[in-house]
Amino acid sequence: MERYKLSILFFLLGGVELYAQETPRWTAMFERINAEVQAHSEAYDRLGESIGIIGHRLTGSANGRRAEQYAFDLLKSYGFKEVSFQPFAVNGWAREHLTLQVSTAGKPPEAVKAVALASTPATAHVQGSLVDIGNGLADDYAADPEKARGKIVLAALNLLPNSPEGTKNLHRSAKAALAIQYGAKGIILFNSVDGGTLLTGTASITGELLSIPAICIGLEDGLRLKGAITSGYQQVIIDMKNATGSMQARNVIARMEGTELPGEKIVVGGHLDSWDLAQGAVDNGLGAFSVMDMARTFIALGIKPKRTIEFVLFMGEEQGLLGSKAYLQQAIANGTADRIRFMLNFDMTNDPKSFYASLEGCRPLFEDIGHAAALVDTAFRNSFSARVGLYSDHQPFMLQGIPIGGASDGTLSRSALNCYHADCDVFELVDEQEMKNTVRFGSMLVYGLANAHEIPVQRLPDSEVKQQMVDNNLEEALRIGGDWRWD
């Protein structure tokens, strides 16, 4: 914890005064950023254009390849001299066929509308009795460890309303892993959004194919089946076929070389890929096209950052953070990981009003950047928070001890939230001004980090990364997902 103590000491001995000296210079530049984005932002229009030309952006698909090329060409058109593809292999997956039939004793089978979760088997035909596993958490299985063996389990995707206070939910991939661990033949997760909304997403955080089928059904069907289980025997047949195999994907990287500290790098990322049930406008058109417009803004204003900036459009996030893992693996292999001073992640970021970071030592710098932003627009609340979480492209960086952060305290409409990973994630959910807000405040944060006199935090040693995960109650999820390496 020595570095953490040093960062706090820095704060107490004058960090605030040091960054406060930056405020007039930041405010002048932030005024320029604000004017440029408000008048000339292309984020909203380019997202709409890409959806019209390409549609969804599933990694490994023809649409995914077209999206990669679109981003590359767009960044080139903005005047970047260094734009590159970073190719990597993925265990490709695309849905082809799925049927779910449920029958009660003495009644004919009933077809239930369902979608496959990604990384489910290439082919599967399983039949078995359906058992209710509540939330699908470890405690639900521990009550009767043999209950799921040889069965198909039904579990809630989100926590059930009557769950004990303090219950912590798990990612769908962790629930699938638990089902396998306890001998289930398949898992059916039901959504928490009404209206029969279907949700997809990976059921394998590693990207490897599962050994059992994992599917999602709507809330109403899930509650109906849950009730039917209590009143009698339920037999389920899942029949699925998916296209699988090794495929290629490409991160897209636009680089601005630093003028004074070129060996220190700020990574500004957002995943370009999306699922294929809809257009991926919110997840993650919002973040990806905002990142590209931040890059455009820096070029338009002729900004020459002190530190090197890489604007990165990651692919394969939805299949298990594959693009960001490939980026880190290459950085580790070529010895440049220590040059990454910060990673800012924009995943479904919309209309932010504050900043956050993974380390408390970032507070003086982030609050002063936020203070300058608030002088430009009083709608920016500047309520800094230090926190960590999982399941987006910041995770591989965080697990290597690299400080991460981004813009927070934003808003998404209830309609947009209900369409997360769902068949209703369409462009009509996007608000143009709220997207501009992401671009302008995000650009201010990038500028402040890239040009700060000092970044008050360093890459954490591995022992401190472990403790950070333990302190934030992330050990169980990392173990289930196969990302816990400290045994």
Side-chain angles (χ1 to χ4, degrees), residues 247-265:
M247 301 178 187
Q248 288 290 314
R250 299 170 294 180
N251 295 329
V252 183
I253 304 172
R255 179 183 175 89
M256 298 186 79
E257 187 77 8
T259 57
E260 297 179 30
L261 298 168
E264 296 190 11
K265 184 191 301 182

Side-chain angles (χ1 to χ4, degrees), residues 178-197:
L178 283 169
I180 294 170
Q181 178 183 331
Y182 283 92
K185 297 168 66 175
I187 179 169
I188 301 171
L189 296 171
F190 61 89
N191 203 359
S192 60
V193 178
D194 59 15
T197 302

Side-chain angles (χ1 to χ4, degrees), residues 2-22:
E2 189 63 30
R3 293 184 182 182
Y4 174 79
K5 293 176 182 176
L6 287 173
S7 66
I8 295 299
L9 183 63
F10 171 84
F11 174 78
L12 292 173
L13 295 181
V16 173
E17 289 80 2
L18 174 62
Y19 295 124
Q21 295 172 16
E22 302 271 20

Side-chain angles (χ1 to χ4, degrees), residues 337-354:
D338 279 334
R339 298 180 185 176
I340 305 172
R341 294 301 313 279
F342 228 98
M343 191 276 180
L344 299 175
N345 190 36
F346 292 84
D347 189 352
M348 294 176 64
T349 309
N350 188 63
D351 194 24
K353 296 175 179 64
S354 298

Side-chain angles (χ1 to χ4, degrees), residues 95-354:
R95 71 189 79 250
E96 290 191 350
H97 167 77
L98 170 68
T99 59
L100 169 64
Q101 291 186 314
V102 181
S103 59
T104 304
K107 296 183 180 179
E110 172 195 2
V112 177
K113 187 180 178 183
V115 294
L117 297 177
S119 298
T120 44
T123 60
H125 181 84
V126 298
Q127 181 172 348
S129 55
L130 188 66
V131 294
D132 182 3
I133 303 293
N135 288 316
L137 306 177
D139 287 348
D140 297 305
Y141 289 94
D144 183 357
E146 294 301 311
K147 181 179 182 180
R149 191 167 303 279
K151 308 293 199 309
I152 295 171
V153 301
L154 175 72
L157 184 67
N158 296 307
L159 293 177
L160 294 166
N162 60 349
S163 299
E165 185 176 352
T167 301
K168 184 178 179 181
N169 200 24
L170 289 174
H171 190 263
R172 75 190 82 87
S173 62
K175 294 188 179 187
L178 283 169
I180 294 170
Q181 178 183 331
Y182 283 92
K185 297 168 66 175
I187 179 169
I188 301 171
L189 296 171
F190 61 89
N191 203 359
S192 60
V193 178
D194 59 15
T197 302
L198 297 178
L199 176 146
T200 191
T202 184
S204 168
I205 199 64
T206 66
E208 299 294 326
L209 293 183
L210 298 183
S211 58
I212 66 171
I215 65 178
C216 178
I217 62 177
L219 172 64
E220 294 81 3
D221 284 332
L223 293 178
R224 181 170 54 82
L225 291 179
K226 188 177 176 68
I229 290 172
T230 63
S231 60
Y233 171 81
Q234 299 291 310
Q235 189 74 5
V236 174
I237 300 174
I238 300 174
D239 188 71
M240 68 163 48
K241 186 176 185 301
N242 303 300
T244 63
S246 181
M247 301 178 187
Q248 288 290 314
R250 299 170 294 180
N251 295 329
V252 183
I253 304 172
R255 179 183 175 89
M256 298 186 79
E257 187 77 8
T259 57
E260 297 179 30
L261 298 168
E264 296 190 11
K265 184 191 301 182
I266 308 298
V267 176
V268 185
H271 73 88
L272 181 62
D273 64 311
S274 74
W275 288 114
D276 56 338
L277 294 186
Q279 299 168 351
V282 174
D283 187 14
N284 179 38
L286 284 178
F289 283 80
S290 291
V291 167
M292 283 187 272
D293 205 56
M294 291 176 209
R296 182 202 64 80
T297 299
F298 271 59
I299 291 290
L301 294 176
I303 293 173
K304 306 293 184 185
K306 179 185 297 186
R307 295 176 179 86
T308 296
I309 303 173
E310 286 190 352
F311 298 94
V312 186
L313 289 311
F314 295 110
M315 291 297 286
E317 189 270 355
E318 300 290 10
Q319 285 81 0
L321 318 179
L322 304 182
S324 48
K325 287 179 179 178
Y327 182 97
L328 254 295
Q329 287 166 1
Q330 181 172 311
I332 292 168
N334 63 26
T336 61
D338 279 334
R339 298 180 185 176
I340 305 172
R341 294 301 313 279
F342 228 98
M343 191 276 180
L344 299 175
N345 190 36
F346 292 84
D347 189 352
M348 294 176 64
T349 309
N350 188 63
D351 194 24
K353 296 175 179 64
S354 298

